[in-house]
Amino acid sequence: MTRLLHTADWHLGRAFHGEDLLDAQAGFVDFVVETARAEAVDGIVIAGDLYDRALPPVDAVRLADEALSRLAEVAPVVLISGNHDSAARLGFGGRLLARAGVHVATDPARIGRPVELAGALVYPLPYLEPDLVRETLAVDERSHAAVTAAAMERVRADVAARGAGGAPVVVVAHAFVAGAAGSDSERDLAVGGAAHVPPSVFGGADYVALGHLHGPQVVAGIGRYAGSPLAFSFSEANHRKSLALVSLGAAGAGAETELVPLPVPRPLATIRGTLDELLADPRLREHEGAWVQATLTDPVRPSDAMERLRRRFPHAVVLAFDPQGAASAAGDSYQRLRGLDDDELLRRFVADVRGSDADDEELELLRDALTARRVAEAVA
């Protein structure tokens, strides 16, 4: 029996609406180290987005160094790069780190080479940006499904070369698997839906340890998203953040998963009403220590609204206005644009700025610009 601890999407260095999260992230590191030790796991899997951006703050790098050092004292660590990480920077010194039990996978050319953990074969698939890896993986199609399928062919070829009756197979990937549910805090992977990867692509794995989406969830029976350890948007208010303890037996037998709930350093609350109502309503007392998103319904916008709101709710971070009696279409631009894909956002941007719709050629240029930006971030 092999026992793994699956986590992902730490996003070290990220803020929550301008508020620093490093102390909360340090608390999470303490918890994950304590859990790994208490559960006597055989390995720890981190499925991408260790950092929130390609050039993370110095304090975030220090925390990552501390976390990986402490975890490696408990069990080997397998870490892949995500779409927020700089693969080149994260992978620096990888061979030296591997000697210390920290296996950092950032190079697509090395896909198909597993890390062996207590009888299991763990195949890390770093985040695969199609425009950067198509040549390496010999893929013509410009999509995440195509490059992930090519990567999995390499995995299956290695498994087959080892013969029948082998070890259980774990795949670690950072991708948007079709059918999974996203949230507002994830960065889109591609324009026009080309980011989605069918679950069937991962055929042959006993467990797929996924990263990218911030809500913990099972995916089509193939594995699960660990989810982020902290909420990064108010759309995650109902998430139950957790670690996944994964137990694997014989090859082909699948995996059993137990969730370990994570502590919530500060809950989220969404409140609505006139400013006077929000300041006086005794039912809102439970939210006084929460991160608060408030929508004021006063007919006239109150003066110093945020300052007054923070006298009761010191951690209020978002303030919106929806005056009573306004048309249903009223509301801030974020709410109107929420949930739209990149193509629709591009169309609306052009229409808003120019007063006329973008034609197909213009949309293609804008798509290329977005893709170029993503590629630049990936290689930064």
Side-chain angles (χ1 to χ4, degrees), residues 10 21 25-26 36 45 72 185 228 307:
W10 293 12
L21 292 177
Q25 291 173 326
V45 171
S185 59
S228 61
E307 180 181 347

Side-chain angles (χ1 to χ4, degrees), residues 244-278:
L245 281 170
V246 183
S247 299
L248 298 122
E256 295 182 0
T257 305
E258 175 188 350
L259 299 184
V260 180
L262 288 170
V264 180
R266 193 178 302 284
L268 307 182
T270 299
I271 59 178
R272 179 183 177 89
T274 67
L275 181 58
D276 287 343
E277 289 170 347
L278 298 184

